[in-house]
Amino acid sequence: MNSITRRDMLLCVLITLFVGGCATTVIPPAHPQNPAMVYLTDYGRHSSVLLPSSGGGFDEYAFGDWNFFALGHTQWWVALHALIYSPQATLGRRHIEPASSETIQKGLGDCKRLMKFEASQIYIDALSTDLDARFRRQSPAIFSDYCKLYCVRDDEYYWIFHNCNNVTAGWLKQLGCKINGPAIYSNFYLKK
């Protein structure tokens, strides 16, 4: 990567960090066939999805930078490096036992908001199968004390315009949702 490209990328990062604040609107499918409940999380700067598990409960999936999110190296320079050029992404997963929305949110630790909507079971199954295969393909997993998920290295590229929130938005689209807005931040707004 030449210095012009790096400089331009750094400028994009800085503008995004300082301008920020625009909410991303999520419009769930209007009449999903064979509907099932899905949850969208907001951890303040990070988001994830909880998909119903075939054995009961939910599986939470999240995407992030390996050093920051999986290993918990949260120094500012690690975060900046991840936003400009992450050498390794991670896919995280954990199982949540069946419970009410309030109990689930308490079990998620520092989750700021938990939003629920219905999606077609066929889309949920397809996304779950894809994410589970992606997770298993990259074994072995490590448990992250930082994010409280089991994490594996992931082949997708991580940077500011393809971060956890962009990837979460992509997963929501696979579930039949419409997304309006940049999905750079975790401040999703669920429109009903």
Side-chain angles (χ1 to χ4, degrees):
M1 185 179 302
N2 64 41
S3 61
I4 301 279
T5 304
R6 282 184 185 217
R7 185 185 66 195
D8 292 344
M9 287 175 64
L10 180 59
L11 183 60
C12 286
V13 168
L14 293 174
I15 288 170
T16 301
L17 290 175
F18 291 109
V19 173
C22 298
T24 302
T25 303
V26 178
I27 304 166
H31 304 288
Q33 294 182 358
N34 193 17
M37 192 62 62
V38 174
Y39 290 93
L40 167 63
T41 69
D42 176 1
Y43 285 93
R45 66 179 154 207
H46 172 77
S47 61
S48 65
V49 295
L50 278 73
L51 304 173
S53 174
S54 59
F58 292 86
D59 290 321
E60 179 180 17
Y61 287 96
F63 179 77
D65 171 69
W66 177 259
N67 287 327
F68 190 96
F69 194 64
L71 300 182
H73 301 303
T74 59
Q75 299 86 353
W76 69 267
W77 60 87
V78 176
L80 185 60
H81 187 257
L83 294 174
I84 297 170
Y85 174 75
S86 172
Q88 181 63 63
T90 185
L91 179 65
R93 178 176 77 178
R94 73 172 149 185
H95 183 74
I96 309 289
E97 290 302 321
S100 67
S101 296
E102 294 78 24
T103 308
I104 289 173
Q105 186 164 358
K106 286 179 187 173
L108 295 175
D110 59 352
C111 179
K112 308 278 187 244
R113 291 183 306 137
L114 186 64
M115 299 158 272
K116 65 181 178 178
F117 64 93
E118 290 184 332
S120 293
Q121 188 66 54
I122 193 166
Y123 293 143
I124 294 169
D125 291 345
L127 181 57
S128 292
T129 299
D130 177 53
L131 292 174
D132 183 60
R134 197 164 128 190
F135 188 86
R136 290 180 189 279
R137 185 172 50 245
Q138 299 297 335
S139 291
I142 64 160
F143 181 77
S144 170
D145 288 327
Y146 174 73
C147 67
K148 307 299 186 223
L149 301 168
Y150 288 93
C151 294
V152 294
R153 294 176 188 271
D154 193 64
D155 293 334
E156 270 196 53
Y157 184 68
Y158 182 96
W159 79 297
I160 192 166
F161 294 114
H162 191 74
N163 64 25
C164 60
N165 303 309
N166 304 122
V167 171
T168 297
W171 294 340
L172 294 171
K173 286 179 186 177
Q174 288 180 285
L175 294 171
C177 297
K178 292 180 183 164
I179 307 295
N180 295 325
I184 294 171
Y185 300 99
S186 64
N187 55 346
F188 289 98
Y189 167 72
L190 192 63
K191 187 174 182 179
K192 298 206 177 194

